[in-house]
Amino acid sequence: MARSIAQRIIATGAAVAAGSLLLTACGSSSTSGSSSAPNASQSVNAVGADAALVALVPAALKSAGTANIATDASYAPMEFKDASGNIVGMDVELGTAIMKKLGLKANFANASFDSILGGIAAKKYDLSLSSFTATQKREQAVDMVTYFNAGEAVAVLAGNPDKIDQKNLCGVKIAVQSGTTEADEIKNTINPACTKAGKPVATASEFTLQTDATSALVAKRDQAMMADSPVVDYAVQQSGGTLQKIGQDYNTAPYGIVLPKGDGQLAQAVQGAIKDLIKDGTYNQILTKWGVQSGALPDTQVVVNGATS
């Protein structure tokens, strides 16, 4: 599922210098800031409310008029901060369009990735778009509406000086964002396999922000980095030749929009909005703008709590 990240990303203001983007964290890991959604594309501006979907929105949220959406703004090109400090990315534009379909404004709040699910459960946020892979474990605690396909990938320093094999990461020091499927994979899949084979286990350097994980590889504190495929592709493109991806993307699975558990009408409303945006072409325009159109889902695969693993 390799991606070619569109040059238009650079035109949006996302392109601070490559070193600055990779070596500077996008926000504090201890506090959650809040930012309005950035100016949307022309297609998003044209999106109007759908009366049937608006009717499904819970009364309290409809009365508030604004949905507070948690996102970890360190995961370019899906959600990150531009040079002006605005939270931007594919998830932000798509979330803005979804909320317009529901007659709501979107307010994106920056939060550490591993705090978001708890924040949803505690009703601190109304929902989250933050590149969450839809898993059966997560769906036990929250509802998830699938909207995008992504795989996992591995990056190393250009030229692969440590001769790292994507299929044999035993003994490798790997930078990874905490709370991600990649962090779980190192603990639950890679290291048990290494132990069974009599090899040294991989060492996971876990970071609150994805930007810090990328920085650790660039600074040679770690030998490899694991992340979702669009994030690895973007980091490699922005690194100015410092990084490269090894092997193929793997473990492709849908991302899910995170919603409070049991709020079925809101989940149905979000599901319906995504399907409408797919049918009217807005969805594809947004994904194409951010260079991630290869991860597009057909409307038949936009489901509530459909994780298979």
Side-chain angles (χ1 to χ4, degrees), residues 29-297:
S29 61
S30 59
T31 60
S32 294
S34 179
S35 173
S36 299
N39 291 333
S41 65
Q42 185 174 357
S43 60
V44 174
N45 285 331
V47 172
D50 181 305
L53 297 177
V54 171
L56 295 172
V57 177
L61 183 55
K62 192 183 301 182
S63 177
T66 298
N68 291 313
I69 305 173
T71 197
D72 167 31
S74 72
Y75 219 57
M78 308 305 287
E79 45 268 331
F80 62 110
K81 288 185 177 181
D82 66 13
S84 299
N86 298 312
I87 301 177
V88 298
M90 190 282 276
D91 277 346
V92 175
E93 283 203 36
L94 183 61
T96 299
I98 292 168
M99 292 305 106
K100 286 192 172 189
K101 281 284 184 183
L102 305 186
L104 300 169
K105 293 181 180 179
N107 181 69
F108 283 84
N110 189 19
S112 61
F113 186 79
D114 56 5
S115 74
I116 291 176
L117 295 183
I120 295 287
K123 301 187 184 303
K124 182 177 181 180
Y125 312 109
D126 297 306
L127 65 151
S128 175
L129 278 91
S130 196
S131 303
F132 276 97
T133 300
T135 66
Q136 292 176 338
K137 181 179 179 181
R138 285 171 174 163
E139 288 175 357
Q140 292 174 5
V142 295
D143 288 335
M144 304 189 81
V145 182
T146 51
Y147 69 99
F148 182 80
N149 257 334
E152 297 178 70
V154 178
V156 297
L157 293 171
N160 195 7
D162 292 325
K163 309 302 180 189
I164 293 169
D165 180 353
Q166 181 207 45
K167 296 181 179 179
N168 179 16
L169 295 173
C170 300
V172 177
K173 191 173 182 182
I174 306 170
V176 66
Q177 187 178 27
S178 59
T180 60
T181 53
E182 288 82 12
D184 289 341
E185 183 185 354
I186 293 171
K187 297 172 189 173
N188 302 326
T189 303
I190 293 173
N191 282 346
C194 294
T195 299
K196 185 177 180 179
K199 298 179 180 180
V201 298
T203 301
S205 300
E206 295 196 17
F207 298 89
T208 301
L209 299 175
Q210 174 58 40
T211 40
D212 290 343
T214 306
S215 296
L217 176 58
V218 171
K220 303 181 182 180
R221 293 192 298 272
D222 288 299
Q223 298 170 287
M225 177 186 75
M226 292 176 63
D228 290 353
S229 51
V231 174
V232 169
D233 287 341
Y234 185 87
V236 168
Q237 188 225 27
Q238 293 293 306
S239 73
T242 302
L243 304 179
Q244 73 175 68
K245 184 163 74 172
I246 57 172
Q248 301 297 314
D249 299 344
Y250 62 99
N251 287 350
T252 300
Y255 281 167
I257 295 173
V258 180
L259 301 155
K261 191 68 182 174
D263 200 344
Q265 283 197 307
L266 182 56
Q268 290 175 36
V270 169
Q271 178 189 28
I274 299 168
K275 289 189 172 189
D276 281 357
L277 294 169
I278 291 173
K279 291 174 182 176
D280 70 20
T282 304
Y283 172 87
N284 187 62
Q285 289 175 21
I286 292 171
L287 269 61
T288 299
K289 171 179 177 178
W290 294 97
V292 296
Q293 62 270 27
S294 63
L297 285 183

